[in-house]
Amino acid sequence: MRVNADMVRRLAALGLSADQLAGVVSVIEEEAETRLAAKREGNRVRQAKSRASRSVTRDSDGVTRDTPSPQKESFPPSPPFKE
């Protein structure tokens, strides 16, 4: 959560001193940074799992091996259509 001018005005209306306002803003910013860091870590883990599942498969013997990139079949171009 970002602190905006309206929030500071509302806190000032409560009669908070400048030091108290600064403390409240610091707590709010720290909480927002903690949430953002947790979200980034979750995204990092999710992406790592996704990348790993797309690049590695298990064979029937249970051994994990890197899979080679599939080769596309090349077909010759079709001759032009004549009526």
Side-chain angles (χ1 to χ4, degrees):
M1 174 198 280
R2 303 296 284 163
V3 178
N4 58 33
D6 184 51
M7 295 170 84
V8 174
R9 286 187 196 100
R10 289 177 18 208
L11 290 169
L14 296 174
L16 299 179
S17 70
D19 288 338
Q20 290 170 328
L21 278 172
V24 169
V25 170
S26 294
V27 168
I28 292 170
E29 290 294 323
E30 286 172 12
E31 180 65 24
E33 186 60 37
T34 301
R35 287 181 187 171
L36 183 61
K39 184 176 180 179
R40 285 180 179 155
E41 178 63 16
N43 285 342
R44 185 192 66 74
V45 170
R46 179 184 51 78
Q47 287 181 354
K49 285 181 182 179
S50 176
R51 288 182 182 131
S53 71
R54 288 181 295 186
S55 65
V56 176
T57 60
R58 290 188 184 273
D59 289 343
S60 60
D61 61 359
V63 176
T64 302
R65 294 184 179 87
D66 287 336
T67 57
S69 299
Q71 298 294 323
K72 288 187 174 182
E73 286 190 38
S74 296
F75 294 105
S78 300
F81 181 72
K82 295 183 181 177
E83 288 187 28

